[in-house]
């Protein structure tokens, strides 16, 4: 009923967010399957058995995650786009046609993302995981704030930069 994977996603990355939110917001449920195991193989630079056997364009993964976010996060998408790695999508890098999500939401009478947050309020709201207020650390002499600079490869850098999130 949920029409499967997003056909416009490439390789992998982001499909986990897309599929789980399709399920939760569009009337499905996720169940525990007794005796089932799910595994993930971590790559180890010194173990040739774990070497990736195909190209993996990072920009495709970021586009996939941005598609899933744009499709399901509603007004909360603004928070996603505050992260530097998503800046490219604000500046015009295309996500591709998103109309299939609108059609699916209408067909299945999907609920908004705020419903998901309320459904799991004991995880997100009651624990403070989504805080009421967000603060930044401002360096007094320059007025700049600590920010994370996005780099293509870890480790990321912490820099002083203009403060985000509005004035103050």
């Amino acid at each position: 009923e949920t029409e499967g994977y997003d056909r416009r996603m490439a390789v992998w990355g982001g499909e986990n967010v897309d599929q789980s939110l399709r399920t939760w917001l569009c009337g499905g449920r996720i169940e525990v399957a007794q005796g089932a195991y799910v595994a993930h193989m971590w790559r180890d630079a010194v173990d040739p058995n774990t070497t990736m056997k195909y190209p993996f364009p990072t920009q495709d993964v970021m586009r996939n995650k941005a598609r899933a976010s744009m499709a399901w996060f509603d007004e909360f998408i603004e928070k996603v786009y505050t992260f530097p790695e998503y800046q490219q999508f604000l500046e015009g890098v295309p996500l591709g046609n998103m109309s299939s999500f609108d059609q699916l939401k209408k067909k299945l009478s999907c609920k908004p993302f705020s419903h998901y947050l309320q459904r799991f309020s004991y995880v997100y709201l009651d624990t403070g995981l989504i805080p009421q207020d967000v603060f930044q650390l401002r360096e007094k002499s320059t007025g700049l704030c600590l920010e994370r600079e996005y780099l293509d490869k870890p480790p990321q850098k912490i820099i002083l930069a203009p403060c985000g999130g509005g004035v103050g």
Side-chain angles (χ1 to χ4, degrees), residues 113-128:
F113 187 67
S114 58
H115 174 81
Y116 176 85
L117 293 176
Q118 286 302 317
R119 165 71 176 83
F120 297 103
S121 63
Y122 62 93
V123 174
Y124 296 105
L125 304 175
D126 299 348
T127 62

Side-chain angles (χ1 to χ4, degrees), residues 23-36:
T23 301
W24 284 116
L25 296 175
C26 301
R29 62 182 189 248
I30 296 174
E31 297 188 14
V32 174
Q34 291 298 108

Side-chain angles (χ1 to χ4, degrees), residues 9 36 52 62 74 89 116 147 157:
M9 284 191 179
M52 190 178 305
M62 292 312 302
D74 303 323
F89 302 107
Y116 176 85
E147 293 283 348
K157 288 174 53 179

Side-chain angles (χ1 to χ4, degrees), residues 1 15 19 27 33 36 40 49-50 54 58 63 67 79 83 86 90 95 100-101 105 107 110 138 143 161:
E1 287 184 21
E15 76 286 348
Q19 291 298 302
H40 187 281
N49 292 320
T50 66
Y54 52 88
T58 304
R63 190 178 64 80
R67 281 185 65 80
K79 178 62 178 168
F83 290 92
Y86 291 96
L90 281 176
L95 291 176
S100 62
F101 290 102
K105 289 176 184 181
K107 177 180 128 182
C110 301
R138 183 187 306 265

Side-chain angles (χ1 to χ4, degrees), residues 69-70 73-83 86 90:
S69 299
M70 181 63 81
F73 287 175
D74 303 323
E75 70 270 18
F76 298 92
I77 189 66
E78 292 176 21
K79 178 62 178 168
V80 172
Y81 286 144
T82 65
F83 290 92
Y86 291 96
L90 281 176

Side-chain angles (χ1 to χ4, degrees), residues 116-164:
Y116 176 85
L117 293 176
Q118 286 302 317
R119 165 71 176 83
F120 297 103
S121 63
Y122 62 93
V123 174
Y124 296 105
L125 304 175
D126 299 348
T127 62
L129 191 59
I130 298 177
Q132 294 294 318
D133 297 306
V134 178
F135 301 93
Q136 290 185 286
L137 297 177
R138 183 187 306 265
E139 199 271 328
K140 196 172 189 176
S141 67
T142 64
L144 298 174
C145 289
L146 285 180
E147 293 283 348
R148 180 176 63 98
E149 180 180 37
Y150 175 71
L151 301 174
D152 287 335
K153 296 185 181 212
Q156 304 300 311
K157 288 174 53 179
I158 302 297
I159 60 170
L160 285 173
C163 300

